[in-house]
Amino acid sequence: MLIDDDGVEEHGIDDGDADDIDDSDDDEAPVAGQAVPVVVDMTHIVTEEESGLRIDKVASQVFSDFSRVQLQGWITDGSLLYNGKVQKPKVRVKADDVLHLSTTLQQHSEDQPEDIDINVVYEDDEVLVIDKPVGMVVHPGAGNQTGTLVNALLYHYPQQHHLPRAGLVHRIDKDTSGLLLIGKTKPAQMALMEQLKDKSVYRHYKCVVAGDQASLLRHRRIDAPIGRHRTQRTKMTVMTAGREAVTHLLKVTPLNDNYCLLDVGLETGRTHQIRVHLSHVTYPLVGDRVYGGRRQLRAGLSEAQRQAINNFPRQALHAYTLGFVHPATGEDIEVTTPLPEDMQKLIAVLSDGYDEE
């Protein structure tokens, strides 16, 4: 299951401003739909602590990128040999026995590697954090089979082929910029997804909204269930029958009398959550053509400010802070990334000449 950022739950990825998903070193990238071979060749020598355990139990501990069912199949078909021989999964191992896994995974997915630059802001053996640019779709889907973050990950990290969604834990909208969390192993991905569900992963956003500071401060906690719009199926809306959705306005900074920069925290992750909630309380994001409309334009704007708002090509929303517990070390990790240039320019224009009393 993905989780969606603005915030969506899709059997694994749910965050908040996510687009809906219809639900190597080679010089030449494979064509879409072609099987991509991934060679696996791994050896493990049984330790004293593992002695007496079943072959499949040890294999699931040491070859942890694969499921126990996969490993049992490989034990049976000879891809995973015990002391050079085929054995049944239930056979118990002894210290210094050798497990050797040799197989080729055929990836028949439409998701193929593409040499697309990605901005890695944190990386270790278990976890990646990417700063996604505006305009990049996270997952391939109808109309977006190429050019996505998944395609880029599969090129730069070919080992991600065997992970669901190339290891992604959550997602953000095409036109939202900012941080995305990725597991580099199956256990790391699953642990991070569990953290997202139990809220030990936290995500903070900055956004520019049409609204004055005093009014916005009356909505420090927005608790309104969100569901899919009954007639406009690509939109989400606040509805009684929707799923629980809670957004926190952590800080409200006036840019002028009618526009503010918000620091927003997500307690839940529903599709388009931040955009839907702020539109619901009548203070939409600048640039949000779906949920903002003409309400983005407030009184008292200079011509330059009006043009900056009208011409801003996307929702002014950036995922700038991501915190999680490291799945291997238990360490608290926090990653931040600065506002992108387009939002910095928008903020400069809207705050030009404003002297907060």
Side-chain angles (χ1 to χ4, degrees):
M1 173 173 95
L2 269 191
I3 294 178
D4 223 358
D5 267 351
D6 177 26
V8 77
E9 190 168 322
E10 192 257 24
H11 307 300
I13 299 189
D14 192 2
D15 260 16
D17 253 328
D19 278 326
D20 293 322
I21 300 177
D22 297 333
D23 301 296
S24 114
D25 294 328
D26 293 336
D27 291 332
E28 292 185 21
V31 297
Q34 176 182 321
V36 182
V38 178
V39 176
V40 178
D41 192 348
M42 307 169 79
T43 300
H44 175 71
I45 298 174
V46 176
T47 66
E48 289 286 352
E49 292 77 16
E50 294 162 345
S51 181
L53 297 176
R54 290 169 49 128
I55 293 176
D56 56 354
K57 175 68 172 178
V58 176
S60 67
Q61 291 176 350
V62 298
F63 304 131
S64 56
D65 286 345
F66 309 104
S67 72
R68 191 163 179 172
V69 171
Q70 270 182 304
L71 291 163
Q72 286 172 334
W74 288 333
I75 293 168
T76 301
D77 71 16
S79 298
L80 202 168
L81 296 175
Y82 171 68
N83 292 333
K85 298 178 180 178
V86 178
Q87 286 285 6
K88 294 180 179 178
K90 65 182 180 181
V91 168
R92 301 199 175 260
V93 302
K94 300 185 297 294
D96 298 324
D97 285 344
V98 178
L99 301 183
H100 182 220
L101 174 60
S102 178
T103 188
T104 300
L105 303 178
Q106 294 294 333
Q107 302 291 337
H108 291 277
S109 168
E110 292 290 324
D111 306 345
Q112 301 301 341
E114 292 182 65
D115 186 3
I116 302 167
D117 287 341
I118 51 178
N119 181 13
V120 177
V121 294
Y122 176 90
E123 180 178 6
D124 59 32
D125 290 341
E126 309 286 333
V127 179
L128 268 176
V129 180
I130 302 292
D131 187 356
K132 186 191 81 69
V134 173
M136 177 181 275
V137 174
V138 173
H139 301 136
N144 293 296
Q145 290 296 336
T146 61
T148 74
L149 179 57
V150 165
N151 299 120
L153 285 171
L154 294 179
Y155 179 87
H156 295 287
Y157 299 91
Q159 70 275 16
Q160 302 293 109
H161 264 293
H162 65 264
L163 297 178
R165 306 282 192 183
L168 278 156
V169 174
H170 62 128
R171 58 187 181 168
I172 55 178
D173 211 21
K174 171 186 175 183
D175 290 328
T176 299
S177 54
L179 300 174
L180 281 167
L181 183 58
I182 297 148
K184 292 176 71 176
T185 67
K186 186 66 175 290
Q189 185 185 25
M190 298 307 293
L192 292 168
M193 285 179 177
E194 285 301 313
Q195 287 186 39
L196 200 57
K197 286 197 287 185
D198 68 22
K199 301 180 174 58
S200 50
V201 169
Y202 59 89
R203 296 148 290 153
H204 293 173
Y205 296 74
K206 288 188 184 293
C207 57
V208 178
V209 301
D212 63 279
Q213 184 183 36
S215 298
L216 284 159
L217 286 172
R218 292 196 287 269
H219 298 279
R220 296 298 292 266
R221 183 178 191 271
I222 305 172
D223 184 350
I226 290 175
R228 192 164 299 281
H229 197 286
R230 287 187 174 86
T231 57
Q232 297 172 272
R233 302 302 291 170
T234 59
K235 289 181 66 173
M236 309 301 287
T237 188
V238 168
M239 56 167 48
T240 305
R243 299 176 67 192
E244 178 193 17
V246 180
T247 302
H248 298 273
L249 307 192
L250 305 174
K251 186 177 180 181
V252 181
T253 304
L255 301 176
N256 58 44
D257 288 337
N258 288 305
Y259 290 83
C260 289
L261 174 67
L262 303 186
D263 188 336
V264 178
L266 288 176
E267 184 174 320
T268 57
R270 303 293 174 241
T271 305
H272 301 171
Q273 180 174 316
I274 294 171
R275 297 163 62 193
V276 171
H277 270 173
L278 286 166
S279 177
H280 176 67
V281 297
T282 72
Y283 307 111
L285 272 65
V286 168
D288 192 339
R289 305 292 185 263
V290 176
Y291 300 103
R294 296 190 60 81
R295 291 181 301 163
Q296 299 172 64
L297 292 172
R298 302 287 166 116
L301 292 171
S302 68
E303 184 56 31
Q305 290 170 334
R306 181 178 292 272
Q307 285 189 14
I309 293 168
N310 279 332
N311 295 334
F312 201 74
R314 55 125 175 170
Q315 62 265 10
L317 181 64
H318 178 68
Y320 80 98
T321 295
L322 181 65
F324 59 95
V325 178
H326 194 280
T329 67
E331 180 185 1
D332 289 333
I333 306 290
E334 182 176 278
V335 183
T336 63
T337 185
L339 281 171
E341 187 177 356
D342 63 347
M343 283 185 64
Q344 292 184 41
K345 288 180 177 178
L346 175 67
I347 288 166
V349 172
L350 290 176
S351 59
D352 184 38
Y354 179 67
D355 184 16
E356 185 181 358
E357 295 179 1

